[in-house]
Amino acid sequence: MTGSDIRSERSGPRSIETWLSEHPEYPEHYEHTACLGKRRKRTKVTRAIGSSKRRALGIIQPNAMAPPSPTKNKTGTKGKQASQRTPITPKTSRTRSGKQPEPPEDPEATPRAISHHSILTNTLRFDPRDQAGAEVEAGNLEDDHSEESKQESSTRSSQRSLSPRKARAYMQDAEVSVTIAKIPSNIYSFPSAAQTLRNDLEALQERKGLLELSIRDVARDRLGNDDKDALYMIRENPITPEETSNHLQTWKNVLGIEGAAEECEVEDCAEASWNSEVHCKILREALQGHWRSRNVWYRDITTAKIFDKGLLPKVAGLSSKNKLVDFAIIVRPPEMSALEAAIKRECALLPQKTINQTDASYVRNKPIAISMEVKRPAGDEDVALVELQTWVTAHYNMLKVLLDSKDGLGAFDLPILPLIQVQGHVWNLWIAEYKDTPKQIIIHRRILLGSTDRIVGIYQIIASVQRLAQWVAEEYQPWWIKAVLGVDPKTLGVGS
């Protein structure tokens, strides 16, 4: 642009469009002429941009900006560092799609993020359309959306896990269907062991004999309207001072559990906090002492995974990933006992080196009897049920594998498997039953065990867990020893 051009510009109004049309589109095409009598050399690289802005542009669009031109010092010589810098120039080769590169961008323009530089990685999210935990893989977006990335995205889409609601529906049509059903009103269509367990657990809801009479004086003020005569246990024999001390300690522990449960609810704590602050303490309070001496204990199995996909329900799209449960009530033989040695021998003979549906080291040689799934107060029950359905199916399939290895698959009927489901404060029991004709697993809903938002409710849960421990010690443990180990339980010091 010459001096005459500027003077003519001042002499009369001109449109911006006209003025722009007279100039080249890119800086490289300018002719460097004198401007108002003063020569100024125009370089191909535009004026330097601050290092902070350049770093920001480099993150959003790598190599989009060339480095600043080397500056001269006062003596006219180039600085040492500037002379060692190598300009970064945009690539001029064809892109992977075969297209010519776009014209160079104006370095002064506002930077814009480019889609193919997305930092998305494979993540999980919930599908709001199903209001459940459908596992969706976002997929990596590669440069220029190449054909390879499209094929990978298509493959990942076809392998998406089912939402819990769909998974529950598809399980009903599986080779061995898994269904949810009410407890039948006809007692003859319900396994006798399950019916006995149900009767005893429902009797605990009547709140009779839950608390020891020795603690009534300290419990009366806290119980309020729940303080009824029938609530206390009347013993024929006098209570010893040691027993009274144990009863008072249990009372203090229950008060601590009630406070922890209230805190977890008010502060909207995560599931892990509920597990450590509330559920672990209830299970320990219920099982320590008598039932632990009878080989019944519990384990937190939050990280235990189903080790073989062949144990899962035969449903397309069903993944074992995240199909986990939180706790298990297990058969835990004493160390160095005959039962422990027999289980370890059996475990060593199996190719998978575990007698459970999971190969987690802490339960690898401790038979799982009862599984427990936990959800926060606002958790989705459909998710919990799918996890229990998947887990109990793997449990039954593993028992069949163990029996088949002993040629005892037809000689023993598979037992019922109680399942505990916790939703916030409320504890419920589901009872799974395996049927051969037709092959199906029926999970019978549900029996209330208690609630952690009241003192009496916590005592009900403790008593219910102890009744389940009795089932493990007197029914499941002897069955497992006979069916899996192939020996008489009495030879291993276990009563029938």
Side-chain angles (χ1 to χ4, degrees), residues 335-381:
E335 293 183 5
M336 309 299 292
S337 64
L339 178 57
E340 183 190 49
I343 293 176
K344 287 184 175 180
R345 284 195 301 270
E346 180 67 23
C347 190
L349 295 174
L350 297 171
Q352 65 275 7
K353 306 303 179 185
T354 178
I355 44 86
N356 290 313
Q357 63 270 37
T358 176
D359 56 0
S361 59
Y362 44 89
V363 290
R364 187 170 55 87
N365 51 16
K366 299 175 180 64
I368 293 175
I370 300 173
S371 302
M372 175 174 162
E373 170 59 22
V374 173
K375 284 288 177 284
R376 297 168 59 250
D380 193 334
E381 187 179 73

Side-chain angles (χ1 to χ4, degrees), residues 133-364:
E135 298 171 7
V136 181
E137 296 182 351
N140 291 326
L141 302 179
E142 296 187 0
D143 293 349
D144 301 314
H145 298 285
S146 64
E147 292 299 323
E148 294 87 347
S149 64
K150 292 179 181 179
Q151 292 176 1
E152 291 177 5
S153 176
S154 175
T155 302
R156 285 193 292 266
S157 298
S158 64
Q159 295 177 349
R160 288 177 181 174
S161 298
L162 297 173
S163 70
R165 190 167 301 174
K166 292 179 180 178
R168 284 183 58 192
Y170 292 167
M171 283 187 190
Q172 298 180 12
D173 300 325
E175 180 181 346
V176 178
S177 66
V178 187
T179 59
I180 305 292
K182 291 182 179 180
I183 294 177
S185 56
N186 183 1
I187 62 174
Y188 297 105
S189 59
F190 201 42
S192 59
Q195 186 63 46
T196 302
L197 193 59
R198 173 195 180 187
N199 292 340
D200 292 345
L201 293 173
E202 289 181 345
L204 293 174
Q205 300 307 308
E206 298 177 5
R207 302 183 176 187
K208 293 181 179 180
L210 286 175
L211 278 67
E212 295 290 345
L213 188 60
S214 59
I215 67 168
R216 186 164 191 176
D217 291 340
V218 298
R220 183 180 289 112
D221 293 339
R222 289 296 301 267
L223 292 178
N225 294 333
D226 288 333
D227 184 43
K228 308 293 184 183
D229 290 340
L231 184 63
Y232 298 94
M233 182 184 301
I234 305 299
R235 293 180 179 270
E236 296 180 359
N237 300 322
I239 300 175
T240 65
E242 183 181 357
E243 290 176 329
T244 300
S245 177
N246 292 337
H247 300 161
L248 289 173
Q249 185 60 51
T250 298
W251 169 258
K252 293 178 182 178
N253 293 342
V254 169
L255 293 182
I257 292 170
E258 183 199 31
E262 181 181 5
E263 181 181 315
C264 286
E265 180 186 25
V266 171
E267 297 187 5
D268 194 25
C269 290
E271 187 178 299
S273 297
W274 281 88
N275 286 344
S276 61
E277 298 293 332
V278 181
H279 307 136
C280 270
K281 293 180 180 179
I282 289 178
L283 293 172
R284 182 170 289 271
E285 184 64 37
L287 299 177
Q288 65 184 351
H290 175 71
W291 295 111
R292 186 169 186 175
S293 67
R294 298 188 65 181
N295 304 338
V296 183
W297 197 233
Y298 76 97
R299 273 288 172 266
D300 182 333
I301 59 169
T302 308
T303 60
K305 300 178 181 179
I306 298 172
F307 74 89
D308 194 326
K309 293 182 179 180
L311 300 175
L312 298 174
K314 301 301 185 291
V315 175
L318 184 66
S319 171
S320 62
K321 190 175 183 180
N322 292 337
K323 298 299 181 290
L324 314 175
V325 296
D326 293 273
F327 293 92
I329 297 178
I330 60 175
V331 175
R332 183 179 181 270
E335 293 183 5
M336 309 299 292
S337 64
L339 178 57
E340 183 190 49
I343 293 176
K344 287 184 175 180
R345 284 195 301 270
E346 180 67 23
C347 190
L349 295 174
L350 297 171
Q352 65 275 7
K353 306 303 179 185
T354 178
I355 44 86
N356 290 313
Q357 63 270 37
T358 176
D359 56 0
S361 59
Y362 44 89
V363 290
R364 187 170 55 87

Side-chain angles (χ1 to χ4, degrees), residues 389-407:
Q389 285 177 287
T390 305
W391 190 262
V392 77
T393 300
H395 194 166
Y396 273 126
N397 286 336
M398 188 61 196
L399 288 177
K400 290 194 290 184
V401 170
L402 295 174
L403 294 183
D404 187 52
S405 66
K406 293 288 184 180
D407 296 327

Side-chain angles (χ1 to χ4, degrees), residues 3 16 25 51 54 62-63 73 110 201 204 260 270 310 341 351 354 387 451:
I16 295 176
E25 185 175 358
S51 60
R54 184 175 306 282
N63 297 337
N73 53 26
T110 302
L201 293 173
L204 293 174
T354 178
E387 290 170 347
S451 178

